[in-house]
Amino acid sequence: MILHVDMDAFFASVEQRDDPRLQNKPIAVIGASFRTVVVTSSYEARAQGVKTGMNVVEAKKACPRIIFVHACHEKYTQACEKIVQILYSFTPDLEVSSIDESFLNSSGIVNLFGSPLEIGRKIKEKIFKELKLKCSVGIGPNKLLAKLASSHHKPDGLFQIKEEDVAATLKDLPAGELCGIGKRTEEALNRLGIYTCSQLAKADPLLLRKHFGITGEYLKMMGAGQDGSSVMPFGYEAKTKSIGHSMTLPSDISRREDILKVLLELSDMVARRMRREGFLSSSVTVIVRYSDFQTFSRQKRMAEATDDTRVIYKHAAGIIKNIVFKKAIRLLGVSVSGLQSGEKQLFLFEEDRRAKRLTAALDVVNERLGDNAVTFASLIESRKHDKVISPAWRPYGARKY
């Protein structure tokens, strides 16, 4: 049996825990910029219709009494690290899937801690005792069903879907409630007359493949409650395929020099993550979102794999060189792919070796004194950006940065 531990309204709960004035109040965690949106909200706010992704005006309209709290990512990452330590005290067979969610395989620990339900109860008790935070634990025969189970009876829930109850549980359940079936996929299924999981499980595989490709086969399996994925402890996860950063700008920009400055900053953020993880990249992608939310991307391959900020920026700048921007830009992003190990990187020229040593020295300084303690001259006057931790953050690996 698999356990899915899901922290309840994690960011908001941390804020309420640390400030007694916020307890039992409708709060929303937001970023610092005027363009910020609700990152998460307390259950008191959710009861009034506040949802993740709402802007401040929408949230205030839904709940006039709402209290906005600026996100503090240091607190959330520290809490996540402590939660992971607690979960490791139960089993090393642990997969941290995001900053507030983890999967555990209970098969090797039932003799130590009791049944899966007892293990779930003990996890909840220990997290609350040590961190004063509540979580919901779902238990199921696989990860898909464990995650579905954790969504029952939230917040502070504990629910198990047994093997013999799977068919009854999924019979009338909307397909969109399964993790992995998003809104667009659900709408596409509805257009085919498929609304429930049981209907999905009985659907013609040829029909599903025609509309969804190979994904159609997985959708049919999901409808039957089948999931062959394993709990993947740290070090056993699928290889990182890409590393990227994007930035919603405080105000729309259209001047090329402003665009290039943001691309340099993003290229530096990406390159530093690569160097921390020991990756080189052979491909750069630039993402552009206009003020009307129209989004597009352009990719370019590099002659040699690199982790050098300047090289990545040079190619990112080259990508936009011939683009005629039709509207003001709201968001920019830079990502790299084609990742490979950088352990055996060789240099033919002394200037390349010096550049590598210089970059390594700068990384050490910034690691000790904080990001951007030493940076490019053109970025010195750059404003401090809205730092909201990504929900996909991990306490290790490339996603930590």
Side-chain angles (χ1 to χ4, degrees):
M1 299 295 286
I2 306 299
L3 282 75
H4 179 245
V5 179
D6 187 4
M7 302 306 299
D8 295 327
F10 183 46
F11 296 174
S13 295
V14 170
E15 297 295 345
Q16 289 179 316
R17 178 198 66 181
D18 293 347
D19 187 348
R21 296 172 298 178
L22 301 177
Q23 293 179 6
N24 302 316
K25 300 286 181 63
I27 76 166
V29 177
I30 60 173
S33 73
F34 77 92
R35 270 185 164 166
T36 188
V37 296
V38 174
V39 180
T40 192
S41 57
S42 65
Y43 281 95
E44 294 84 0
R46 296 181 189 188
Q48 300 298 316
V50 178
K51 298 178 181 179
T52 298
M54 280 185 168
N55 61 41
V56 171
V57 175
E58 291 171 331
K60 191 74 174 177
K61 184 177 180 180
C63 179
R65 298 186 300 110
I66 197 164
I67 301 170
F68 296 110
V69 181
H70 287 160
C72 179
H73 69 283
E74 290 88 355
K75 290 198 295 187
Y76 312 144
T77 56
Q78 289 171 7
C80 176
E81 289 170 344
K82 292 177 181 177
I83 291 165
V84 170
Q85 291 174 6
I86 291 172
L87 297 180
Y88 269 128
S89 71
F90 286 88
T91 177
D93 201 355
L94 167 71
E95 175 185 338
V96 182
S97 60
S98 71
I99 193 170
D100 60 350
E101 296 183 63
S102 296
F103 290 98
L104 299 86
N105 188 338
S106 69
S107 60
I109 58 174
V110 290
N111 292 332
L112 292 173
F113 300 107
S115 69
L117 272 175
E118 290 173 332
I119 295 170
R121 188 174 295 109
K122 289 174 181 178
I123 288 173
K124 288 167 55 66
E125 290 172 352
K126 191 167 185 179
I127 290 176
F128 186 75
K129 179 180 179 181
E130 296 189 17
L131 300 178
K132 296 297 183 288
L133 295 171
K134 292 183 178 180
C135 65
S136 294
V137 176
I139 305 163
N142 55 49
K143 290 167 67 175
L144 176 71
L145 294 173
K147 187 170 175 64
L148 176 64
S150 68
S151 65
H152 285 250
H153 312 299
K154 286 182 73 71
D156 200 21
L158 176 61
F159 187 75
Q160 179 175 0
I161 299 176
K162 297 181 179 180
E163 188 76 53
E164 59 268 26
D165 297 329
V166 172
T169 301
L170 299 179
K171 182 180 179 182
D172 298 317
L173 186 76
E177 291 197 23
L178 293 178
C179 178
I181 298 182
K183 185 177 180 181
R184 290 186 178 180
T185 301
E186 183 180 21
E187 291 173 348
L189 289 170
N190 292 167
R191 288 194 293 270
L192 297 175
I194 300 171
Y195 296 91
T196 66
C197 291
S198 59
Q199 290 175 331
L200 180 57
K202 297 174 183 177
D204 182 348
L206 294 178
L207 176 68
L208 294 175
R209 191 177 182 90
K210 177 181 177 182
H211 286 84
F212 302 99
I214 192 171
T215 304
E217 299 177 17
Y218 296 108
L219 290 174
K220 184 176 176 67
M221 291 174 59
M222 291 170 64
Q226 299 172 4
D227 178 14
S229 62
S230 302
V231 172
M232 301 297 289
F234 175 55
Y236 292 88
E237 308 98 326
K239 183 180 178 181
T240 302
K241 295 182 179 180
S242 65
I243 292 175
H245 277 286
S246 63
M247 186 182 298
T248 299
L249 307 168
S251 57
D252 296 340
I253 61 174
S254 55
R255 294 196 312 162
R256 196 158 292 266
E257 53 265 43
D258 294 333
I259 297 171
L260 290 172
K261 183 179 290 188
V262 176
L263 288 182
L264 174 59
E265 186 167 4
L266 291 168
S267 298
D268 190 37
M269 294 165 70
V270 168
R272 276 190 281 162
R273 278 180 62 184
M274 292 171 61
R275 294 193 292 269
R276 286 182 182 122
E277 289 299 299
F279 286 123
L280 301 176
S281 168
S282 58
S283 183
V284 179
T285 300
V286 173
I287 302 96
V288 178
R289 178 172 297 159
Y290 288 138
S291 54
D292 62 359
F293 288 87
Q294 179 186 349
T295 306
F296 65 91
S297 63
R298 297 288 185 272
Q299 188 177 65
K300 186 174 184 179
R301 288 192 62 82
M302 296 181 285
E304 295 181 356
T306 183
D307 61 5
D308 191 309
T309 295
R310 294 166 300 174
V311 176
I312 294 171
Y313 167 69
K314 176 183 176 181
H315 284 80
I319 289 174
I320 70 161
K321 182 178 180 180
N322 297 319
I323 297 178
V324 178
F325 295 108
K326 301 176 182 179
K327 306 164 191 172
I329 296 173
R330 173 187 178 88
L331 173 146
L332 283 168
V334 172
S335 68
V336 293
S337 55
L339 301 181
Q340 57 185 267
S341 173
E343 293 179 0
K344 298 181 180 180
Q345 188 177 16
L346 301 176
F347 301 101
L348 293 177
F349 303 105
E350 178 60 28
E351 60 185 276
D352 293 329
R353 282 191 285 271
R354 286 201 301 268
K356 182 68 175 179
R357 289 197 294 268
L358 174 60
T359 301
L362 293 176
D363 286 343
V364 171
V365 172
N366 285 321
E367 192 73 29
R368 292 181 179 178
L369 302 181
D371 286 349
N372 298 322
V374 180
T375 188
F376 293 91
S378 61
L379 299 180
I380 291 177
E381 300 301 324
S382 178
R383 77 268 183 272
K384 291 185 177 180
H385 298 302
D386 198 2
K387 285 193 175 182
V388 179
I389 192 71
S390 167
W393 184 90
R394 309 283 197 280
Y396 46 72
R399 290 185 181 273
K400 180 175 181 178
Y401 304 102

